[in-house]
Amino acid sequence: MSLLTRRADREAAYVDYVTARQGHLRRIAYALCGDWAKADDLLQTALVKLYVAWPRVALDGKEDAYVRRILVRANIDESRRPWRREVAGELPDAAAPAGLPSEDRTVLFEALQSLPPMQRKTVVLRHWLGLSVAEAAVELGISEGTVKSHTSRGIEAMRAALAEVER
């Protein structure tokens, strides 16, 4: 098999993966940052980095984990840049599983977005994506105990915010 054929096969596999997973990855990026425009930027950054690492990542079969890690770290990097420190304005509509009324999705997403960034990230990784404490710790580059405390505080803050809405 020639070098050009192998490269074409790798690129076809990359395109197939991106085509199949792009919507899901975009929703993860949105859940991390709360802004569709920023989510698109995060996803673009992640997909470029994935393309560069594709031959290695595709062999391991851990494409989703690799992209999630890039999304989380790119979001952290963006929040550290001084020109990115803005107060969020109006929240856009959020996608949620079918069957949940849009009013409930909006309230739930507003409660999620009201959390501090690390609490929001741990809640998304643990409860939306279903990662274990250890997996979330690796993705965020923090200890498992820190993941547990951020998640616990985030869930409690969301419960309090949702209880306030119910009143």
Side-chain angles (χ1 to χ4, degrees):
M1 184 180 285
S2 74
L3 182 61
L4 291 176
T5 305
R6 282 185 281 173
R7 182 177 180 154
D9 290 343
R10 280 196 312 261
E11 288 186 5
Y14 172 80
V15 169
D16 290 344
Y17 172 79
V18 170
T19 302
R21 302 297 289 163
Q22 187 170 14
H24 174 72
L25 297 171
R26 185 173 184 249
R27 289 188 298 275
I28 292 171
Y30 179 66
L32 291 171
C33 68
D35 181 311
W36 284 113
K38 288 180 185 176
D40 289 337
D41 291 344
L42 288 176
L43 181 59
Q44 185 64 34
T45 298
L47 293 178
V48 167
K49 290 182 179 186
L50 176 64
Y51 180 80
V52 171
W54 183 255
R56 177 179 45 85
V57 174
L59 289 176
D60 295 341
K62 298 180 180 179
E63 299 90 345
D64 283 346
Y66 186 81
V67 175
R68 279 194 312 267
R69 181 175 291 164
I70 294 170
L71 288 170
V72 169
R73 290 185 178 172
N75 188 37
I76 291 169
D77 290 346
E78 286 297 311
S79 67
R80 290 180 180 161
R81 294 190 176 131
W83 61 86
R84 292 287 189 174
R85 293 184 189 140
E86 302 170 3
V87 177
E90 189 176 321
L91 294 174
D93 293 333
L100 191 61
S102 63
E103 301 83 28
D104 292 345
R105 287 192 308 253
T106 301
V107 169
L108 185 61
F109 190 76
E110 286 174 354
L112 179 65
Q113 291 305 308
S114 71
L115 298 177
M118 281 305 277
Q119 289 179 12
R120 182 173 57 242
K121 289 171 189 165
T122 57
V123 169
V124 167
L125 291 175
R126 293 276 295 121
H127 296 285
W128 188 44
L129 296 176
L131 298 183
S132 69
V133 172
E135 291 169 327
V138 169
E139 296 241 353
L140 293 169
I142 58 178
S143 73
E144 291 182 22
T146 304
V147 169
K148 291 176 187 177
S149 64
H150 280 307
T151 303
S152 175
R153 290 182 188 130
I155 294 296
E156 286 304 314
M158 285 185 68
R159 284 184 182 142
L162 294 172
E164 194 66 30
V165 169
E166 288 180 3
R167 289 183 192 174

